[in-house]
Amino acid sequence: MSGERILISDPVAPVCAEMLRQAGMNTETKIGLSVPELKEALAGAVGLVVRSETKVSEEVLAAARSLRVVGRAGTGVDNIDVAAATRRGVVVMNAPGENTIAAAEHTLSLMLAVARNIPRADRSTKAGQWERTRLLGVELYGKVLGVVGLGKVGREVASRARAFGMEVRGFDPFLSEEVATRLGFTMLPLPELLASADFLTLHLPLNPQTRHLIGEAQLLRCKHGLRLVNCARGGIVDEAALERALRDGRVAGAALDVFEEEPPSPSHPLLKLENVVVTPHLGASTVEAQEKVAVRIAEQMVGYLHRGSVAGAVNVDPLEPEVLRAIGPWLDLADRLGRLQAHLARSAAEEVTVEFSGSILEHPVSLMVAAFLKGYLEGVVTEPVNLINAAMLAKEVGLRVQEVRASDPTDYTSLITTTVRSTNGSRTLAGTLFGKRNLRVVRLDDFRFDAVPAGDMLICSNDDRPGMVGILGSILAEARINIATLSLGRDHTGGKAIAIFNLDSPVEAPLLDRIRSLSGILWAESVRLRLSA
């Protein structure tokens, strides 16, 4: 594709727009938009690039009907309603890791600033005062640093803190003891860490589990004279509780680069305290970091819009381009199996099972489940369905989904077997690849055959007796419908047979009704399988 329109609504390094334009996209930069202005600007846009200022809410997403991808030129995505984006099939991407060094260095800068009263000293000296005694600070050397969150930034901060002669202790509920030992961290439960730390620095995402992780109860347990640094996300610290702890001396000082509401109100109580150092969300604000995140998010958005790559996506499993190429035909097959199941459905489904066997298990099969659901739900729900929102939409319509990894198949090197269950029974459909890219459906319930799931198809089940295929062929010839391929199968236990015709033109409703009325025809369906979107 070319000519897609991308809106950039926050200040992002110019290299981002330049790379998007080089990829054939039309970029438009509009900064500081109100919500109505943003909704208007997104009309017809397939992509949106933001940093932390633009709030991508459900209201905004609902208005952006053409939007396919939101790229956050930075680490967090808390200014984006990821759930709403997922439901609408919009990929949300970020650029983690590119601002790691900038965030770590800013954390150490703030730690030194609050330890040595640097902002107060600067203001005082410029005001003509010379307050050497009043502005007595503390050293980092020999102090205990508590690091909450030992991801990339937390580890870089710990490494630099050791160079200052600090003893580093950590808390991270997602880091195993084995990894912590290998990295040289002393791990403690959060209450013990708070009780022993002289300095505390936070490096966590903001989510329901981490909101107000440092609150009144935690600050009551902290070591008297603690100095706290937050360069992660506003909301991890309960600001009202922190203010009280700073006023009563339990916390000697705080350095904050982030707030629960940004920008904070000029009347915010923490801005009035002398023992609080603040900066306006500068953790990633270096020339180097902004260049790196701009390049990364442009590359990722081009990769998704032009090649389907979801590297850097936070609401779909990321795949490397070579993996995506390898599973592409399987995704197509799963999609077509879903659409065939929807065509053949006897009633509304209550449960689907997607079973994988053979060498296909070497690939990430969860995306193939999404592809099946996408194909199945296209005829069930009114919303546009894609790989991003298929699982969520299935849940909303009450469809239970099971993913099964089975033993090796007996007849095929790999096999996808799908079963749709409803109150009227179940239907099983299975498919595989011949070679690397030739799609085949090889089973429908108890029938075994070899059919191409493509284009216009006629699927008929009939009594297993001579002449049935000839009768069907004659009726199609009379309607001037050419047969491209034909696959036959039989149920060896029940006297039934099946015929799958690939046709050059569709079987319209009147002709289908005629076929269904024939003696010996048990059921018949006309199916049109277009290429996957």
Side-chain angles (χ1 to χ4, degrees), residues 43-101:
V46 299
L48 171 65
V49 180
V50 302
R51 285 186 65 197
S52 58
E53 290 86 350
T54 297
K55 308 304 178 187
V56 188
S57 63
E58 184 172 9
E59 177 188 354
V60 169
L61 290 162
R65 298 186 179 275
S66 301
L67 196 64
R68 295 174 58 196
V69 58
V70 177
R72 164 73 156 86
T75 300
V77 290
D78 42 288
N79 57 314
I80 302 168
D81 190 331
V82 177
T86 302
R87 190 183 188 285
R88 295 184 176 278
V90 177
V91 173
V92 178
M93 296 178 162
N94 64 350
E98 302 299 344
N99 57 11
T100 296
I101 299 302

Side-chain angles (χ1 to χ4, degrees), residues 258-275:
V258 290
F259 289 84
E260 294 194 53
E261 181 180 337
E262 294 184 355
S265 166
S267 62
H268 195 299
L270 288 173
L271 302 185
K272 309 299 183 183
L273 300 180
E274 280 196 333
N275 54 347

Side-chain angles (χ1 to χ4, degrees), residues 173-239:
F174 306 107
L175 191 69
S176 69
E177 288 288 342
E178 178 185 352
V179 174
T181 301
R182 187 169 70 246
L183 294 172
F185 290 113
T186 300
M187 300 295 285
L188 294 174
L190 184 57
E192 293 182 28
L193 184 69
L194 291 168
S196 65
D198 300 295
F199 289 81
L200 188 73
T201 179
L202 310 175
H203 302 286
L204 297 163
L206 180 64
N207 55 44
Q209 290 72 42
T210 62
R211 180 171 291 279
H212 288 185
L213 180 69
I214 307 300
E216 188 76 43
Q218 291 73 32
L219 292 171
L220 284 170
R221 294 190 185 102
C222 71
K223 184 176 182 179
H224 191 82
L226 173 75
R227 288 170 172 83
L228 182 146
V229 180
N230 186 9
C231 279
R233 284 289 178 265
I236 297 174
V237 177
D238 182 339
E239 293 174 357

Side-chain angles (χ1 to χ4, degrees), residues 316 324 327-341 352 354 356 364-378 385-391 401 403 416 418 532-533:
V316 64
L324 190 63
I327 71 169
W330 289 106
L331 294 177
D332 193 5
L333 175 65
D335 178 280
R336 294 177 191 225
L337 289 173
R339 282 183 278 149
L340 274 171
Q341 283 278 26
V352 300
V354 187
F356 302 90
V365 297
S366 60
L367 202 59
M368 300 179 210
V369 175
F372 171 81
L373 293 173
K374 169 184 175 292
Y376 183 82
L377 291 171
E378 281 180 339
V385 190
N386 61 20
L387 296 178
I388 311 305
N389 64 358
V401 181
E403 175 188 313
I416 301 178
T418 68
S532 292

Side-chain angles (χ1 to χ4, degrees), residues 110 113-114 117-119 254-257 259 273-279:
L110 289 181
V114 74
N117 301 307
I118 291 174
L256 308 173
D257 187 46
F259 289 84
L273 300 180
E274 280 196 333
N275 54 347
V276 175
V277 177
V278 295
T279 51

Side-chain angles (χ1 to χ4, degrees), residues 7-39:
L7 175 67
I8 300 174
S9 63
D10 286 335
V12 177
V15 66
C16 180
E18 180 58 31
M19 290 179 65
L20 292 170
R21 283 193 292 270
Q22 288 176 359
M25 300 181 184
N26 298 319
T27 65
E28 184 177 16
T29 301
K30 292 185 175 181
I31 309 299
L33 298 176
S34 65
V35 171
E37 290 170 338
L38 178 61
K39 289 161 64 176

Side-chain angles (χ1 to χ4, degrees), residues 446-465:
D446 293 325
F447 299 110
R448 303 297 196 277
F449 48 83
D450 167 17
V452 178
D456 291 301
M457 303 174 69
L458 173 66
I459 305 175
C460 295
S461 179
N462 54 270
D463 293 334
D464 189 9
R465 58 182 171 83

